[in-house]
Amino acid sequence: MFRLEITIYGSKLYKAKYYQRLLDSYFDFLDECPTYKVSHHKQWKAIVKRVKQMMVVYVPSEQQLAYCHWWNSFTKRKQGLLKSGISQAQVQIILANFSFNDRPIHYFEVAMSTEGNKTTYEILKYIKYRREEGSMAITLVPGISNSLYPYRNQLRGVVLPFSEVGVCRYMNLELEWPESQLTRGDRQRALSRLVLWEEESSEATYEDKLELMEPISMPKFKPDYVVLGEGHTYKVTAYGFGSFRGKVLVCLRLDESYYVRCSPGLEKVVAPVLVRDGPTFSILIRRHKVTRGKHDLDCSLSA
């Protein structure tokens, strides 16, 4: 299975029908290949489920700032920005405006030195922040020319709204731009207040944390109803996501030795508690069942 990506270059934005005809021509070319349609909105929701944190690196001597919202473990490409000419006074504002609600912000202040062709970095300061409790503020992404202060009115008819391409608020995360240009005073006020991230005293030890498996080798993962026995309890130690017959499935490693892909019943139980570096947990398999001709599991979390 592979995914076809089409990048269209140009300075002019056409009507949606133009792009639809262009896509249709590619589907005609691939007519003999089975294809699957997944909306941008569903793809965006899948991304948000995996966004757990973000990081910022600042080099005071060079006034350079780099941030990363997420990265692709396959292509190694990052969604972020490197920007020069950022004063120390701007850093906290950018941290707050470009961060996510309810998720940690890792801030690194580093010193950079170059010797020959080799550049080294020394960490001078590390602080873990978060937005204040209850924040529902938007998260900024750069605008035209990588502007750190984009606004929507400037881009009417030039850039589609995020919502029109499926990027909507989900799990208290919303990428958006302010409607109007921020004044000089507004630029000195963050969209949300930053506070220090306080670790819970009951934080799990390293051995007890869930591991995110990337990439997934699907042949290794068997149907859960084939592997797991009724009345047995299993410890979930790692999880990941894999594609099987056109569907993205949750895959689990249990008791360090069982590898299964989840049926709907098991996925419904485990999905809310799958958090990267979160605590491991156990599941109880009550019984196997068949729903509308498809195998499934009746299961629950186990204390």
Side-chain angles (χ1 to χ4, degrees), residues 199-217:
E199 302 289 353
E200 296 182 2
S201 58
S202 60
E203 184 182 13
T205 62
Y206 180 80
E207 291 76 16
D208 291 328
K209 289 183 178 179
L210 275 177
E211 175 189 344
L212 176 62
M213 298 179 289
E214 294 183 305
I216 289 289
S217 175

Side-chain angles (χ1 to χ4, degrees), residues 264 287-297:
R287 65 184 180 91
H288 296 173
K289 62 180 182 178
V290 177
T291 304
R292 296 178 181 176
K294 295 184 178 181
H295 290 277
D296 205 347
L297 291 181

Side-chain angles (χ1 to χ4, degrees), residues 96-297:
N97 290 354
F98 284 78
S99 58
F100 303 119
N101 299 319
D102 310 322
R103 296 159 177 84
I105 309 156
H106 301 279
Y107 173 67
F108 296 88
E109 208 165 277
V110 303
M112 182 175 68
S113 59
T114 304
E115 184 175 341
N117 295 326
K118 184 179 180 181
T119 301
T120 59
Y121 298 87
E122 177 188 357
I123 298 176
L124 305 176
K125 183 190 297 183
Y126 166 66
I127 304 175
K128 191 175 182 181
Y129 292 106
R130 66 174 175 84
R131 283 179 167 182
E132 61 184 337
E133 192 73 28
S135 172
M136 296 185 67
I138 61 174
T139 296
L140 293 185
V141 290
I144 290 178
S145 301
N146 287 330
S147 167
L148 295 178
Y149 300 98
Y151 57 98
R152 177 62 60 188
N153 287 341
Q154 177 195 31
L155 304 172
R156 299 284 184 198
V158 178
V159 177
L160 292 173
F162 291 101
S163 59
E164 288 194 20
V165 291
V167 180
C168 303
R169 178 177 289 271
Y170 183 63
M171 296 178 69
N172 200 22
L173 192 159
E174 180 180 11
L175 301 185
E176 190 49 273
W177 294 322
E179 279 296 316
S180 55
Q181 185 175 16
L182 298 176
T183 65
R184 182 176 297 274
D186 290 332
R187 294 187 182 195
Q188 297 172 0
R189 292 191 294 271
L191 296 173
S192 180
R193 190 169 67 92
L194 287 183
V195 298
L196 293 177
W197 181 280
E198 296 180 2
E199 302 289 353
E200 296 182 2
S201 58
S202 60
E203 184 182 13
T205 62
Y206 180 80
E207 291 76 16
D208 291 328
K209 289 183 178 179
L210 275 177
E211 175 189 344
L212 176 62
M213 298 179 289
E214 294 183 305
I216 289 289
S217 175
M218 286 306 288
K220 187 177 183 179
F221 292 83
K222 307 304 180 184
D224 53 10
Y225 57 84
V226 172
V227 177
L228 308 181
E230 294 181 339
H232 290 268
T233 299
Y234 301 89
K235 183 179 181 180
V236 180
T237 57
Y239 73 99
F241 303 89
S243 180
F244 182 74
R245 294 180 180 175
K247 293 183 178 180
V248 176
L249 302 179
V250 175
C251 299
L252 303 176
R253 184 182 70 207
L254 309 170
D255 294 342
E256 302 298 339
S257 57
Y258 300 106
Y259 293 82
V260 301
R261 55 180 188 261
C262 292
S263 58
L266 181 55
E267 180 175 340
K268 183 177 180 181
V269 169
V270 302
V273 290
L274 293 178
V275 178
R276 185 174 188 171
D277 293 332
T280 58
F281 58 91
S282 296
I283 54 171
L284 170 64
I285 308 301
R286 291 198 179 95
R287 65 184 180 91
H288 296 173
K289 62 180 182 178
V290 177
T291 304
R292 296 178 181 176
K294 295 184 178 181
H295 290 277
D296 205 347
L297 291 181

Side-chain angles (χ1 to χ4, degrees), residues 39-49 51 70 100 165-170 173-175:
S39 69
H40 286 153
H41 184 53
K42 286 185 178 180
Q43 293 182 53
W44 170 241
K45 290 172 68 175
I47 291 173
V48 173
K49 287 178 180 178
V51 173
W70 59 77
F100 303 119
V165 291
V167 180
C168 303
R169 178 177 289 271
Y170 183 63
L173 192 159
E174 180 180 11
L175 301 185

Side-chain angles (χ1 to χ4, degrees), residues 2-17:
F2 68 93
R3 183 180 68 185
L4 175 68
E5 291 191 10
I6 303 171
T7 303
I8 303 170
Y9 297 95
S11 59
K12 184 177 179 181
L13 187 65
Y14 295 94
K15 299 289 185 180
K17 289 182 178 180

